[in-house]
Amino acid sequence: MTSDLLALCFDANDHARVAGFWAEFLGWETVEDPRGGLALLPADDTGFRLRFVPGQEPKIRQNQIHFDLTSQSLEGQQRTVDRALALGGRHIDVGQTPDEGHVVLADPEGNEFCVIEPGNNFLADCGFIGALSCDGSQAVGYFWSRALDWPLVWDQDQETAIRSPHGGPKVTWGGPPVAAKTGKNRLHFDLAPPAGADLRAEVDRLVALGATRLGTGQGDAGEVVMADPDGNEFCVVPAT
């Protein structure tokens, strides 16, 4: 038994505004999420939804996860940037140098994402969302590979990447140095066991792989809040 990656969840001060930005930008359908907030349903091979829930904490640091979006041409890259800016995104500086080909942007609440230049071989066989790029250790990459049963597609110089056997975005971890974690992450994974599976058994399996159980979710009956080996929160929700 292995959980599926159900959603990438955003905590947002104005969750409807942030969800609206990403829905328009990606062209995904917006629905009410049964566990609260709003969800965007993928219109491509991404394989998981985006979920947006109300959060009170202000954004005070760079997110641990961001999107790397692909481009087929320099003109296409510029069109993506222009579309994001027209919808309320903005340019930001995260220390990139002028000679780097990617463009760093943020959504209306400051959640970072990158528009990658054409010709990136690592993302060549990926869709528009090429990768979820994460700050994290090699050990946490190994953990998520086993937790989701997704094979490693990169493991070099303590950098790791995994990808669903069904395709979709890669999930990457940059290796050391890993930024110190201060407060709760604004983005986290929601996992769901297969239909009819025992949630407690899945939680026990994840603990055996190196996760920590933190408690239960607020207002979501049966939801279990956990942390991966780097301390990043994620949720395991009951199977449906």
Side-chain angles (χ1 to χ4, degrees), residues 6 16 20-21 34 61 72 74 79 91 107 190 201 227:
L6 177 66
F21 169 86
R61 61 182 172 91
Q72 301 304 312
L74 288 175
R79 285 194 297 271
H91 288 278
D107 71 16
D190 284 346

PDB file of all heavy atoms in Angstrom, residues 6 16 20-21 34 61 72 74 79 91 107 190 201 227:
ATOM      1  N   LEU A   6      -2.097  13.622  -3.461  1.00  0.00           N
ATOM      2  CA  LEU A   6      -3.419  14.157  -3.782  1.00  0.00           C
ATOM      3  C   LEU A   6      -3.353  15.614  -4.186  1.00  0.00           C
ATOM      4  O   LEU A   6      -4.018  16.037  -5.142  1.00  0.00           O
ATOM      5  CB  LEU A   6      -4.339  13.995  -2.575  1.00  0.00           C
ATOM      6  CG  LEU A   6      -5.751  14.559  -2.694  1.00  0.00           C
ATOM      7  CD1 LEU A   6      -6.541  13.792  -3.744  1.00  0.00           C
ATOM      8  CD2 LEU A   6      -6.459  14.514  -1.342  1.00  0.00           C
ATOM      9  N   ALA A  16      -8.793  32.866  -1.975  1.00  0.00           N
ATOM     10  CA  ALA A  16      -9.563  32.970  -3.203  1.00  0.00           C
ATOM     11  C   ALA A  16      -8.783  33.744  -4.270  1.00  0.00           C
ATOM     12  O   ALA A  16      -8.814  33.391  -5.462  1.00  0.00           O
ATOM     13  CB  ALA A  16     -10.902  33.643  -2.935  1.00  0.00           C
ATOM     14  N   GLY A  20      -7.463  32.138  -7.672  1.00  0.00           N
ATOM     15  CA  GLY A  20      -7.892  32.740  -8.920  1.00  0.00           C
ATOM     16  C   GLY A  20      -6.729  33.020  -9.859  1.00  0.00           C
ATOM     17  O   GLY A  20      -6.835  32.822 -11.080  1.00  0.00           O
ATOM     18  N   PHE A  21      -5.613  33.489  -9.298  1.00  0.00           N
ATOM     19  CA  PHE A  21      -4.423  33.736 -10.110  1.00  0.00           C
ATOM     20  C   PHE A  21      -3.970  32.454 -10.796  1.00  0.00           C
ATOM     21  O   PHE A  21      -3.768  32.419 -12.023  1.00  0.00           O
ATOM     22  CB  PHE A  21      -3.298  34.299  -9.249  1.00  0.00           C
ATOM     23  CG  PHE A  21      -1.960  34.330  -9.941  1.00  0.00           C
ATOM     24  CD1 PHE A  21      -1.602  35.394 -10.742  1.00  0.00           C
ATOM     25  CD2 PHE A  21      -1.062  33.275  -9.807  1.00  0.00           C
ATOM     26  CE1 PHE A  21      -0.375  35.422 -11.403  1.00  0.00           C
ATOM     27  CE2 PHE A  21       0.174  33.288 -10.456  1.00  0.00           C
ATOM     28  CZ  PHE A  21       0.505  34.365 -11.255  1.00  0.00           C
ATOM     29  N   PRO A  34     -13.658  19.423  -0.753  1.00  0.00           N
ATOM     30  CA  PRO A  34     -14.500  18.850   0.305  1.00  0.00           C
ATOM     31  C   PRO A  34     -13.918  19.019   1.706  1.00  0.00           C
ATOM     32  O   PRO A  34     -14.655  18.937   2.695  1.00  0.00           O
ATOM     33  CB  PRO A  34     -14.605  17.367  -0.076  1.00  0.00           C
ATOM     34  CG  PRO A  34     -13.460  17.121  -1.005  1.00  0.00           C
ATOM     35  CD  PRO A  34     -13.243  18.400  -1.733  1.00  0.00           C
ATOM     36  N   ARG A  61       9.465  34.418   4.631  1.00  0.00           N
ATOM     37  CA  ARG A  61      10.677  33.817   4.074  1.00  0.00           C
ATOM     38  C   ARG A  61      10.351  33.147   2.751  1.00  0.00           C
ATOM     39  O   ARG A  61       9.190  32.962   2.394  1.00  0.00           O
ATOM     40  CB  ARG A  61      11.255  32.782   5.048  1.00  0.00           C
ATOM     41  CG  ARG A  61      10.327  31.614   5.368  1.00  0.00           C
ATOM     42  CD  ARG A  61      10.949  30.658   6.375  1.00  0.00           C
ATOM     43  NE  ARG A  61      10.034  29.648   6.844  1.00  0.00           N
ATOM     44  CZ  ARG A  61       9.872  28.451   6.291  1.00  0.00           C
ATOM     45  NH1 ARG A  61      10.581  28.139   5.215  1.00  0.00           N
ATOM     46  NH2 ARG A  61       9.015  27.575   6.794  1.00  0.00           N
ATOM     47  N   GLN A  72       9.180  26.532 -24.549  1.00  0.00           N
ATOM     48  CA  GLN A  72       9.625  25.911 -25.795  1.00  0.00           C
ATOM     49  C   GLN A  72      10.451  26.869 -26.649  1.00  0.00           C
ATOM     50  O   GLN A  72      11.127  26.439 -27.588  1.00  0.00           O
ATOM     51  CB  GLN A  72       8.414  25.420 -26.588  1.00  0.00           C
ATOM     52  CG  GLN A  72       7.555  24.416 -25.834  1.00  0.00           C
ATOM     53  CD  GLN A  72       8.349  23.217 -25.357  1.00  0.00           C
ATOM     54  OE1 GLN A  72       9.103  22.616 -26.119  1.00  0.00           O
ATOM     55  NE2 GLN A  72       8.193  22.870 -24.079  1.00  0.00           N
ATOM     56  N   LEU A  74      12.200  31.292 -26.602  1.00  0.00           N
ATOM     57  CA  LEU A  74      12.359  32.533 -25.854  1.00  0.00           C
ATOM     58  C   LEU A  74      11.086  33.373 -25.937  1.00  0.00           C
ATOM     59  O   LEU A  74      10.698  34.023 -24.954  1.00  0.00           O
ATOM     60  CB  LEU A  74      13.547  33.325 -26.404  1.00  0.00           C
ATOM     61  CG  LEU A  74      14.933  32.742 -26.095  1.00  0.00           C
ATOM     62  CD1 LEU A  74      16.018  33.545 -26.802  1.00  0.00           C
ATOM     63  CD2 LEU A  74      15.188  32.723 -24.580  1.00  0.00           C
ATOM     64  N   ARG A  79       6.055  35.231 -23.259  1.00  0.00           N
ATOM     65  CA  ARG A  79       4.585  35.234 -23.184  1.00  0.00           C
ATOM     66  C   ARG A  79       4.112  34.734 -21.819  1.00  0.00           C
ATOM     67  O   ARG A  79       3.151  35.265 -21.249  1.00  0.00           O
ATOM     68  CB  ARG A  79       3.994  34.373 -24.304  1.00  0.00           C
ATOM     69  CG  ARG A  79       4.037  35.023 -25.681  1.00  0.00           C
ATOM     70  CD  ARG A  79       3.142  34.294 -26.667  1.00  0.00           C
ATOM     71  NE  ARG A  79       3.573  32.911 -26.885  1.00  0.00           N
ATOM     72  CZ  ARG A  79       4.452  32.546 -27.812  1.00  0.00           C
ATOM     73  NH1 ARG A  79       5.010  33.450 -28.607  1.00  0.00           N
ATOM     74  NH2 ARG A  79       4.768  31.276 -27.964  1.00  0.00           N
ATOM     75  N   HIS A  91       7.893  40.463 -10.710  1.00  0.00           N
ATOM     76  CA  HIS A  91       9.287  40.039 -10.672  1.00  0.00           C
ATOM     77  C   HIS A  91       9.804  40.114  -9.232  1.00  0.00           C
ATOM     78  O   HIS A  91       9.448  41.025  -8.480  1.00  0.00           O
ATOM     79  CB  HIS A  91      10.149  40.956 -11.547  1.00  0.00           C
ATOM     80  CG  HIS A  91       9.949  40.769 -13.019  1.00  0.00           C
ATOM     81  ND1 HIS A  91      10.575  39.774 -13.735  1.00  0.00           N
ATOM     82  CD2 HIS A  91       9.189  41.461 -13.921  1.00  0.00           C
ATOM     83  CE1 HIS A  91      10.228  39.854 -15.002  1.00  0.00           C
ATOM     84  NE2 HIS A  91       9.380  40.868 -15.150  1.00  0.00           N
ATOM     85  N   ASP A 107       3.554  35.059  -7.248  1.00  0.00           N
ATOM     86  CA  ASP A 107       2.120  35.268  -7.401  1.00  0.00           C
ATOM     87  C   ASP A 107       1.679  36.435  -6.516  1.00  0.00           C
ATOM     88  O   ASP A 107       2.510  37.072  -5.849  1.00  0.00           O
ATOM     89  CB  ASP A 107       1.352  33.970  -7.133  1.00  0.00           C
ATOM     90  CG  ASP A 107       1.347  33.538  -5.666  1.00  0.00           C
ATOM     91  OD1 ASP A 107       1.672  34.347  -4.768  1.00  0.00           O
ATOM     92  OD2 ASP A 107       1.009  32.365  -5.402  1.00  0.00           O
ATOM     93  N   ASP A 190      -0.461  16.989   0.424  1.00  0.00           N
ATOM     94  CA  ASP A 190      -1.551  16.182   0.966  1.00  0.00           C
ATOM     95  C   ASP A 190      -1.476  14.809   0.314  1.00  0.00           C
ATOM     96  O   ASP A 190      -1.498  14.705  -0.925  1.00  0.00           O
ATOM     97  CB  ASP A 190      -2.913  16.802   0.654  1.00  0.00           C
ATOM     98  CG  ASP A 190      -3.249  18.008   1.515  1.00  0.00           C
ATOM     99  OD1 ASP A 190      -2.567  18.225   2.538  1.00  0.00           O
ATOM    100  OD2 ASP A 190      -4.190  18.738   1.162  1.00  0.00           O
ATOM    101  N   ALA A 201      -2.490   2.318   9.276  1.00  0.00           N
ATOM    102  CA  ALA A 201      -1.386   1.502   8.779  1.00  0.00           C
ATOM    103  C   ALA A 201      -0.466   2.320   7.877  1.00  0.00           C
ATOM    104  O   ALA A 201       0.762   2.151   7.903  1.00  0.00           O
ATOM    105  CB  ALA A 201      -1.932   0.291   8.031  1.00  0.00           C
ATOM    106  N   ALA A 227       5.433  15.188   9.546  1.00  0.00           N
ATOM    107  CA  ALA A 227       6.587  15.918   9.032  1.00  0.00           C
ATOM    108  C   ALA A 227       7.558  14.923   8.425  1.00  0.00           C
ATOM    109  O   ALA A 227       7.728  13.809   8.938  1.00  0.00           O
ATOM    110  CB  ALA A 227       7.275  16.716  10.132  1.00  0.00           C
TER     111      ALA A 227
END
